[in-house]
Amino acid sequence: MITAQNVFIGFGKAAKTLAGALANRGESVIMIEASDKMYGGTCINVACIPTKTLLTSSQNNRLGDAQENYFNAIMNKNDVTGTLRYSNLHKLSDQATVTVLNGWAEFEAPKQLKVTYQNGKTDQISGDRIFINTGSTPIIPEITGLKDSIFMQTSETLMDQKRLPQKLVIIGGGYIGLEFASIYANFGSQVTIIDANDQFMPRDERELAVAVQRDLAAKGVQFELKAQVTKVVDQVGAARIEFERAGQAQQITADTILVATGRKANIAHLGLKNAGIATNQRGIIVDDHLRTNVKNIWAMGDVRGGAQFTYLSLDDYRIVLDQLVGDGKRTVLEQELVPHVVFLNTPIATIGINEEQAQKEQIAYKVGKLATKAVPKAHVLGNTTGYLKVLVSPETHEILGATLYCIDAQELINVVSLAMHQHLHYEVLRDQIYAHPTMTEAFNDLFATIK
Ligand SMILES: Cc1cc2nc3c(=O)[nH]c(=O)nc-3n(C[C@H](O)[C@H](O)[C@H](O)COP(=O)(O)OP(=O)(O)OC[C@H]3O[C@@H](n4cnc5c(N)ncnc54)[C@H](O)[C@@H]3O)c2cc1C
């Protein structure tokens, strides 16, 4: 039996950060990670970091042979993820009180785990505290022929395919599907998105959805919306994807199918029942402090069934650390107002409410809007696509929400988020002295449009 004060299942964002913090305080830590390709978790190995690395490469390598550019981009992506994986592992494993185990963990009892290593050997582990951070895994919908198709990829496997797809069909038009559409269209694949929703980008305002669909279409991305995939049939060199729209049967061929229909919490084969840990459809049930129903067992990150973002998993670490060494006041309620970003050639960043929501919910607002082409730095960067829009309260002068569809929106949104959390009047951003030329200085003009 190997014992430690703190046992972590899964090397995700919350786990690695909390493990490091507890080890720094001299506490003993066991970190159990199922795959030696996943030290550091999903984000750095198969999700956020590789997709953004590929997006950057796809924007830079426009000349020359498309297949060669793509191959080089995959190699570069592998270098980036390999470097981060190594540094993430050693940041923990180099600490005197930390033991990293490479194996599959499952509960045998509330305080007892079994780890099964790749060679089939096992160890029993016990800990005073146990933290579950096992993340999520792609959902493969029940479509005849899909699971067994040799052309099927998930977001985790496509980025290991060294051959550039000629024809890529993406099932699912959520943020992951859109990011892959942008990347692969840049590299030169013929991309088609098939999505069952009635509306494109249903959670966003129509003005944004229309602009984004138009801009992706200008890059060659095709859309089959309100379409339900019914069957996948493997043929020589390509798959036939059959779908139905408004009762009409249609089909398309592709040499690569990316399934981007969401991710589910990783709770299978964890032995949660042996420990009496309660779950629901979404994942492990936790309270506002991320405690499961079993004393001294916490669940953090995607596995607890909330919104799936690395920065929320990171915040989960803060909530738990605050209980262990602070005043325990921090809760998940503080995660309600956070930015959301979709990393396209022109990124989309939103926070708070949009204009359609304000109208629907009859919230009083004033609106400010600026075309990206009015921002000098956008010309410097060579991308004047999109617009910036903010809603403010006429009563409190605080910002109610922002929709930024412009180059560097992923950076700008953090400034808006800070202002919202600090309850700043919008005039503070309007009258701030910003460095020039920057995208942030657009806030001078954007907030000045509010009358
Ligand atoms: C393509 C894509 C792009 C994304 N882009 C972004 C983005 O730009 N920004 C953003 O904020 N979020 C993004 N996300 C979401 C983000 O990646 C996840 O929300 C985040 O990585 C979840 O982290 P986590 O802490 O829950 O655990 P994870 O990082 O998922 O770690 C879980 C770990 O547990 C291990 N594990 C599982 N079961 C066991 C077991 N029984 N025993 C031992 N180990 C186990 C797994 O191998 C894994 O390493 C993206 C996701 C995808 C798929």
Side-chain angles (χ1 to χ4, degrees):
M1 176 83 71
I2 312 174
T3 62
Q5 287 164 292
N6 306 285
V7 177
F8 291 85
I9 310 176
F11 207 133
K13 186 69 178 178
K16 66 187 176 190
T17 321
L18 184 60
L22 294 174
N24 279 337
R25 300 174 72 88
E27 296 196 18
S28 57
V29 167
I30 294 175
M31 167 66 75
I32 310 166
E33 169 51 51
S35 164
D36 60 359
K37 306 275 184 308
M38 290 292 282
Y39 295 131
T42 301
C43 171
I44 64 157
N45 290 295
V46 291
C48 332
I49 298 298
T51 48
K52 278 71 204 178
T53 307
L54 281 184
L55 178 64
T56 306
S57 299
S58 74
Q59 290 166 332
N60 293 340
N61 302 331
R62 294 245 165 95
L63 301 174
D65 179 65
Q67 170 57 42
E68 199 180 319
N69 288 342
Y70 176 68
F71 180 83
N72 290 338
I74 295 290
M75 293 297 116
N76 174 56
K77 180 271 295 181
N78 289 346
D79 281 351
V80 171
T81 54
T83 302
L84 293 179
R85 186 162 54 244
Y86 181 87
S87 63
N88 270 259
L89 171 62
H90 284 278
K91 213 165 151 187
L92 272 192
S93 64
D94 290 354
Q95 301 218 39
T97 60
V98 177
T99 306
V100 177
L101 301 177
N102 180 203
W104 182 266
E106 62 194 294
F107 284 92
E108 291 190 320
K111 288 290 170 56
Q112 195 175 309
L113 297 163
K114 180 173 85 177
V115 180
T116 307
Y117 304 106
Q118 266 174 5
N119 61 8
K121 290 193 174 158
T122 60
D123 263 326
Q124 283 188 318
I125 311 285
S126 76
D128 301 335
R129 306 177 187 129
I130 298 182
F131 306 95
I132 307 168
N133 187 211
T134 50
S136 58
T137 191
I139 296 169
I140 313 292
E142 289 297 328
I143 294 169
T144 310
L146 179 64
K147 214 177 301 171
D148 299 325
S149 170
I150 60 165
F151 303 101
M152 194 273 284
Q153 301 278 2
T154 67
S155 63
E156 298 185 355
T157 59
L158 178 56
M159 292 184 283
D160 284 333
Q161 177 175 303
K162 297 187 180 72
R163 173 186 56 79
L164 178 66
Q166 296 296 307
K167 285 185 173 182
L168 171 65
V169 159
I170 300 177
I171 306 178
Y175 87 92
I176 291 176
L178 294 184
E179 289 192 1
F180 275 92
S182 220
I183 293 168
Y184 281 85
N186 286 347
F187 278 122
S189 301
Q190 168 61 64
V191 179
T192 304
I193 295 175
I194 304 183
D195 193 280
N197 272 312
D198 282 353
Q199 283 191 318
F200 178 62
M201 296 174 60
R203 287 196 206 110
D204 292 286
E205 62 182 18
R206 288 307 84 200
E207 184 178 10
L208 177 68
V210 168
V212 172
Q213 191 175 357
R214 184 195 57 219
D215 295 338
L216 283 170
K219 279 264 158 206
V221 177
Q222 293 176 358
F223 295 89
E224 298 290 353
L225 303 176
K226 297 186 206 172
Q228 197 79 44
V229 177
T230 50
K231 198 175 178 186
V232 171
V233 182
D234 278 8
Q235 299 171 321
V236 182
R240 188 176 77 233
I241 298 114
E242 300 180 0
F243 59 96
E244 222 175 78
R245 194 180 31 222
Q248 296 262 321
Q250 302 195 30
Q251 60 181 51
I252 183 172
T253 57
D255 59 321
T256 307
I257 305 168
L258 170 65
V259 180
T261 47
R263 294 170 66 88
K264 61 177 184 222
N266 251 334
I267 54 172
H269 314 298
L270 260 178
L272 295 174
K273 280 207 178 114
N274 299 334
I277 298 170
T279 59
N280 61 18
Q281 297 275 36
R282 298 175 63 86
I284 294 176
I285 299 172
V286 289
D287 66 10
D288 288 349
H289 295 272
L290 304 177
R291 295 176 292 218
T292 68
N293 60 316
V294 180
K295 196 163 184 263
N296 286 337
I297 302 182
W298 289 260
M300 312 178 292
D302 287 5
V303 75
R304 67 179 178 83
Q308 298 170 350
F309 292 106
T310 299
Y311 48 86
L312 295 184
S313 183
L314 178 64
D315 196 57
D316 285 1
Y317 133 79
R318 295 188 192 104
I319 293 169
V320 177
L321 186 69
D322 189 40
Q323 275 164 69
L324 301 182
V325 304
D327 60 14
K329 285 193 180 142
R330 203 173 175 110
T331 70
V332 290
L333 300 177
E334 282 142 61
Q335 296 181 352
E336 274 169 19
L337 183 68
V338 291
H340 292 132
V341 179
V342 188
F343 291 82
L344 308 181
N345 288 324
T346 304
I348 305 163
T350 56
I351 188 167
I353 55 168
N354 62 42
E355 195 169 11
E356 276 171 19
Q357 284 168 310
Q359 286 167 354
K360 206 164 144 198
E361 292 164 31
Q362 298 187 325
I363 297 170
Y365 70 93
K366 284 186 180 181
V367 64
K369 194 176 167 195
L370 192 72
T372 308
K373 62 175 185 284
V375 187
K377 182 64 189 268
H379 291 267
V380 173
L381 295 173
N383 182 351
T384 56
T385 303
Y387 65 91
L388 301 86
K389 191 171 176 184
V390 282
L391 267 58
V392 303
S393 162
E395 211 178 302
T396 65
H397 290 216
E398 287 187 26
I399 302 167
L400 299 170
T403 299
L404 309 179
Y405 177 44
C406 62
I407 183 88
D408 286 350
Q410 77 279 10
E411 306 289 345
L412 299 184
I413 202 70
N414 293 320
V415 178
V416 180
S417 176
L418 186 68
M420 290 175 79
H421 280 279
Q422 296 307 313
H423 301 284
L424 297 182
H425 289 184
Y426 76 85
E427 289 89 343
V428 175
L429 294 195
R430 184 192 65 191
D431 301 334
Q432 180 71 23
I433 301 173
Y434 300 103
H436 171 81
T438 59
M439 284 303 291
T440 327
E441 67 181 334
F443 289 148
N444 290 144
D445 291 340
L446 172 64
F447 285 98
T449 63
I450 296 169
K451 299 288 177 235

